[in-house]
Amino acid sequence: MSNVQKQIEEIEAEMARTQKNKATNYHLGTLKAKLAKLRSELLNGPGGKSAGSKDAGRGFDVTKSGDTRIGLVGFPSVGKSTLLTTLTGTRSEAAAYEFTTLTCIPGTMKYKGARIQVLDLPGIIEGAAEGKGRGRQVISTARTCNLILIVLDAGKPLTHKKIIEAELFSFGIRINQVPPNIKIVKKEAGGIGYQEMTPQTKGMNPEVCRMVLKEFKISCAEVILREDITVDQFIDVIEGNRAYIPVLYVFNKIDSITIEELDILDQMPNYVPISSRDKWNMDELMEEIWNKCNMLRIYTKPKGQIPDYDEPVILHSAKNPTVEEFCNRIHKSLISSFSHAWVWGRSAKHQPQRVGKDHELMDEDVVQIVKKAG
């Protein structure tokens, strides 16, 4: 494994020496493809995605519960355990020394009718993706979350943020990104087919595409690029094991910094300043968690009864979900006996509106499902 690490360092050094221009695009693309393969081997053992030793760190064994799951990731002693206690009431040991939390502590909070599972993960250190300080177990568990809260100490340097981002990136987590709009179809014969639906300005071209595919031993495939992408994004799609997870930067202990320093932090996107000890700004944090998870509440209404406003059905969707998605969230077999639905709320043109399974719902709609007769 040390030999693989040495090869990675040699390639990174060569990439740092190489000037970035059109003439070196091909060479840099080759190096990036080799680097991605070596990193995959380092994380999963010789053989790639499916391989790996028993002690490789498969994540903490925590049963998923509730409507969504969020993980608290950060360096030791930034206040993750105090934040878990403040949000959920679950007791997680907090002390003045580092590495107080040695395993994953789950808790559940309720917000707008949704049950949200919060995981207090042990503190990570630089080199976590290579396995230092149980880092692989921590980041493997973070991959299963719908949202990651990177908890930072407002009084510490911002370089901590960069280190955590680099560790998550090394483990295949792409923060605040969406999967690139690329289609790769492997074929039995016919060579490499390359199509650009939009002009490529970030380094992709037919030569780089063929070279990267060759590095991954793909000789026949159809590649369609529907957006302007980088070589790194192209490699991510080929590897196919990346997790695209939204991230919120939570700056804790703001009671220890000045207003001027807080104004500087305020220029950062996806950030919430809090003090978990004094319970400052917790309302904004809860609202940001709700928005980042793209959660919507849909209330059910049995025939002849008032709607159930206490237990909404929670749906996750960046765009408005359909009635079919709502039915599948309740039970997979419900859609087979579905006839139509009555909808009250903002998505209905009149109250109520009779709709089919393709009707798009909005937050706080009320839905009554009508099954087929017989």
Side-chain angles (χ1 to χ4, degrees), residues 92-112:
S92 182
E93 189 181 348
Y97 54 86
E98 295 191 342
F99 295 105
T100 316
T101 306
L102 298 174
T103 187
C104 179
I105 311 292
T108 305
M109 67 177 183
K110 202 160 185 181
Y111 185 66
K112 293 185 178 179

Side-chain angles (χ1 to χ4, degrees), residues 151-209:
V151 185
L152 300 158
D153 188 334
K156 296 281 177 70
L158 270 178
T159 48
H160 287 191
K161 172 176 172 285
K162 290 286 183 191
I163 292 168
I164 293 172
E165 286 174 346
E167 294 302 328
L168 295 177
F169 185 89
S170 298
F171 213 79
I173 295 175
R174 300 294 175 258
I175 61 177
N176 293 328
Q177 293 182 30
V178 293
N181 196 357
I182 308 168
K183 191 171 185 181
I184 302 174
V185 182
K186 292 181 185 178
K187 304 184 293 186
E188 294 296 321
I192 303 295
Y194 178 86
Q195 293 181 52
E196 292 178 2
M197 309 302 281
T198 55
Q200 298 298 308
T201 62
K202 298 177 182 176
M204 279 301 294
N205 57 51
E207 290 74 29
V208 171
C209 171

